[in-house]
């Protein structure tokens, strides 16, 4: 079901919601829009106790959080029937993972963060939004998720936004992929040097850089890139290396 144009609460919050969804090429139904608004309210409440994110009000929320979480998934948003398994590494206050759980009603999400208070808040928000059956929160380092029986080699998609340098994130994500799975790294700027470093970094993981997509956020909020890496074979058991090593000695 499509929502009416300019629902009052969203219209009051984000300058022009119709333009926002038009730029995305997808719009939430009434239930999804209600869940996105409920998530915003949850964030306000949790932020009073815990510094989860500063992007909570107006365009900060609807563009820099919601739109930015969703834009790389346009094609999936239009075929949400696929029961995909996704893992969001370094989810922080639940982005992009909770937004994807709302927008992809068939998907199962695992959200990983090593900070206990953030993981507990995200777990409580997922439960409050009625997502508890499809969302699992793990409080642990990504290097340990990549070695856990529940996570290693299990996911169709592994994703991360604003967690570490791209080669470091690749080492966190690729071991989590099932054969044929793909990793999606949300990046801001992306240069030719970044591209070369990434191509070198994914080689030992038996993965390949598949594509890089570019998006300008609405209202001049900046440029974003989605870097997609595909598992080309089984990731060697050596990876991920022990906690802290990927960041200290990045691949490539
Ligand atoms: N992804 C969220 C977003 O875009 O709003 C949060 C970004 S925040 C800057 C980075 C998060 O990654 C933090 O919550 C931090 O605890 C988590 N993190 C960093 N390294 C990690 C690791 N090795 N394992 C698990 N979580 C990690």
């Amino acid at each position: 079901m499509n929502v009416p144009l300019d629902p009052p609460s969203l219209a009051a919050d984000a300058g022009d919601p119709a333009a926002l969804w038009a730029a995305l090429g997808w719009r939430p139904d009434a239930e999804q829009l209600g869940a996105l608004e409920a998530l915003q309210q949850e964030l306000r409440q949790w932020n009073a106790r815990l510094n989860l994110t500063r992007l909570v009000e107006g365009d900060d929320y609807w563009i820099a959080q919601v739109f930015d979480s969703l834009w790389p998934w346009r094609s999936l948003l239009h075929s949400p029937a696929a029961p995909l398994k996704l893992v969001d590494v370094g989810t922080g206050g639940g982005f992009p993972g909770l937004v994807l759980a709302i927008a992809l009603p068939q998907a199962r999400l695992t959200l990983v963060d090593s900070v206990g208070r953030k993981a507990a808040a995200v777990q409580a928000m997922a439960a409050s939004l009625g997502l508890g059956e499809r969302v699992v929160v793990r409080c642990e380092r990504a290097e340990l998720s990549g070695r856990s029986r529940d996570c290693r080699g299990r996911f169709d998609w592994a994703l991360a936004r604003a967690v570490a340098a791209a080669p470091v994130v690749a080492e966190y994500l690729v071991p989590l992929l099932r054969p044929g799975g793909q990793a999606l790294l949300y990046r801001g700027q992306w240069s030719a040097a970044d591209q070369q470093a990434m191509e070198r970094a994914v080689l030992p993981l038996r993965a390949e850089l598949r594509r890089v997509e570019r998006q300008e956020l609405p209202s001049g909020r900046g440029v974003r890139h989605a870097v997609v890496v595909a598992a080309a074979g089984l990731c060697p058991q050596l990876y991920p290396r022990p906690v802290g090593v990927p960041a200290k000695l990045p691949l490539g």
Side-chain angles (χ1 to χ4, degrees), residues 26 29 31-32 76-77 80-83 100-108 131 134:
W26 173 87
D29 66 22
E31 193 178 330
Q32 290 166 323
L76 260 188
L77 290 169
L100 288 172
I102 292 168
L104 300 171
Q106 306 300 324
R108 303 190 84 80
L131 300 170
R134 291 191 293 115

Side-chain angles (χ1 to χ4, degrees), residues 13-24:
D13 213 0
D16 183 356
L20 185 75
W21 305 130
L24 188 57

Side-chain angles (χ1 to χ4, degrees), residues 22-211:
L24 188 57
W26 173 87
R27 58 186 308 149
D29 66 22
E31 193 178 330
Q32 290 166 323
L33 182 61
L36 291 169
E37 290 174 335
L39 174 57
Q40 183 182 32
Q41 189 55 29
E42 287 285 326
L43 286 170
R44 288 182 182 123
Q45 286 167 7
W46 280 98
N47 257 356
R49 281 184 266 171
L50 180 69
N51 191 16
L52 274 184
T53 171
R54 57 185 177 79
L55 303 174
V56 179
E57 300 300 337
D59 282 356
D60 280 347
Y61 179 71
W62 291 101
I63 296 177
Q65 297 280 40
V66 175
F67 185 100
D68 188 44
S69 293
L70 293 178
W71 73 264
W73 305 94
R74 280 194 178 98
S75 56
L76 260 188
L77 290 169
H78 289 288
S79 55
L84 297 174
K85 285 185 71 178
L86 281 67
V87 57
D88 176 19
V89 168
T91 194
F95 294 92
L98 286 179
V99 176
L100 288 172
I102 292 168
L104 300 171
Q106 306 300 324
R108 303 190 84 80
L109 274 289
T110 297
L111 313 183
V112 178
D113 205 286
S114 56
V115 175
R117 289 187 305 161
K118 291 185 183 181
V122 171
Q123 177 114 55
M125 289 193 284
S128 164
L129 294 170
L131 300 170
E133 292 211 345
R134 291 191 293 115
V135 172
V136 171
V137 179
R138 295 175 71 98
C139 177
E140 69 185 359
R141 294 280 303 206
E143 298 93 320
L144 300 178
S145 309
R147 298 206 159 267
S148 120
R149 190 193 287 246
D150 295 341
C151 290
R152 187 178 180 91
R154 299 274 178 186
F155 294 94
D156 300 295
W157 283 96
L159 44 128
R161 188 181 80 163
V163 172
V168 178
V169 174
E171 186 169 349
Y172 295 159
L173 299 186
V174 171
L176 299 167
L177 299 175
R178 65 161 176 76
Q182 298 182 78
L184 192 151
L185 291 77
Y186 289 75
R187 309 302 302 179
Q189 295 300 328
W190 189 253
S191 66
D194 292 326
Q195 177 97 2
Q196 285 164 7
M198 192 63 168
E199 280 166 355
R200 286 194 303 272
V202 297
L203 277 179
L205 301 170
R206 294 207 193 118
E208 63 190 24
L209 185 49
R210 186 58 63 81
R211 65 179 186 277

